[in-house]
Amino acid sequence: ANKLALQGIKILISAGPTREPLDPVRYITNRSSGKMGYALAEAAVAAGAEVTLISGPVNLPSPMSVNLLKVETAQQMFDAVISQADNFAIYIGAAAVADYRPAEIQNHKIKKQHDDGVIALEKNPDIIATVASLPNKPFVVGFAAETDDLENYATTKLRSKNLDMIAANWVGQTEGGFDSDRNALQVYWSGGSQHLAMTDKKQLAQQLLSLIIERMHEKNPA
Ligand code: C5P
């Protein structure tokens, strides 16, 4: 994306893991450094976009010139995203949202002797699928991290969640994925796909934004 490619375009990005408390000292979470989402926020600002970043707990510096909102749970991320998603031209869901949360949160630390070893869970809402179902929906881009059958799972998610684009990456490979500063992506949309080769997440973010802009123009020719 060149410096002005996203001039004045409003982009909403969610990034990082969510944390689902069990009691005051314990939680369930997903592995996610937030690096890809933060790199996308930085690349979008550099291309002239107006960026809001809704972030789960990560150990990353706050990007410059980004409206940053920190959340913890999937429900908080859902509320923050859904309440404003229809004000944005693009939504990129790069967060590793916990699919389930403990059905009950204990006010006191659970003691070993009272612990029966069973945690009842309930499903969290699907944030990106909800954004994609809004009447005034933005251009919606999802991520899929998979250990197997990447193309099949990614294209199924593209269709079932009604996304405009999905960026899929392998996890558990020797290079790329969690915590890594580098990654490779296989990007799918209805009727096409493109491979973005292994590189640092900053470069990858620029390349993905360029693809998003191309696809938006193809979808809505001026
Ligand atoms: O189904 P899966 O979690 O693999 O789909 C990944 C995509 O869905 C990502 O873009 C992720 O941010 C989004 N997602 C979501 N809300 C959930 C679960 C996943 O927005 N509860």
Side-chain angles (χ1 to χ4, degrees):
N2 72 45
K3 269 211 149 47
L4 297 173
L6 291 170
Q7 192 61 48
I9 303 271
K10 293 187 70 176
I11 305 190
L12 181 63
I13 299 170
S14 48
T18 65
R19 227 178 233 182
E20 312 298 326
L22 198 52
D23 69 15
V25 297
R26 303 185 179 97
Y27 55 79
I28 296 172
T29 193
N30 273 333
R31 268 183 82 169
S32 167
S33 65
K35 283 175 183 169
M36 193 66 226
Y38 276 57
L40 281 161
E42 281 166 5
V45 165
E50 233 179 90
V51 180
T52 294
L53 176 60
I54 298 177
S55 175
V58 297
N59 286 309
L60 295 172
S62 303
M64 299 266 281
S65 308
V66 165
N67 175 21
L68 176 65
L69 184 63
K70 289 246 180 169
V71 296
E72 289 229 348
T73 66
Q75 186 63 51
Q76 289 165 357
M77 188 175 276
F78 179 91
D79 293 342
V81 169
I82 301 306
S83 65
Q84 52 182 323
D86 56 6
N87 290 324
F88 290 83
I90 300 170
Y91 170 61
I92 306 176
V97 184
D99 289 317
Y100 292 89
R101 64 182 170 233
E104 278 182 60
I105 305 174
Q106 304 300 328
N107 291 324
H108 300 281
K109 186 179 173 189
I110 302 164
K111 292 300 175 191
K112 290 182 192 65
Q113 56 273 29
H114 299 142
D115 170 13
D116 59 7
V118 178
I119 301 170
L121 300 174
E122 60 191 24
K123 220 167 178 10
N124 274 324
D126 192 309
I127 301 169
I128 205 164
T130 306
V131 173
S133 72
L134 295 173
N136 216 344
K137 77 177 187 106
F139 187 90
V140 181
V141 182
F143 274 81
E146 307 289 347
T147 54
D148 314 273
D149 215 358
L150 188 75
E151 174 164 10
N152 181 31
Y153 283 122
T155 53
T156 301
K157 282 172 192 179
L158 177 75
R159 284 190 297 271
S160 66
K161 299 187 190 224
N162 193 30
L163 310 181
D164 294 297
M165 184 180 271
I166 193 158
N169 67 283
W170 290 101
V171 290
Q173 306 282 99
T174 46
E175 207 190 1
F178 305 129
D179 293 328
S180 174
D181 288 321
R182 288 161 61 79
N183 209 358
L185 292 174
Q186 189 68 40
V187 186
Y188 302 93
W189 57 90
S190 170
S193 84
Q194 170 133 10
H195 181 67
L196 301 179
M198 183 66 66
T199 184
D200 59 277
K201 286 181 177 174
K202 194 179 158 162
Q203 288 289 331
L204 206 55
Q206 288 174 1
Q207 293 169 3
L208 183 60
L209 284 175
S210 296
L211 256 186
I212 291 171
I213 296 162
E214 270 175 42
R215 284 298 306 149
M216 281 179 74
H217 286 157
E218 272 177 47
K219 240 187 114 179
N220 291 312

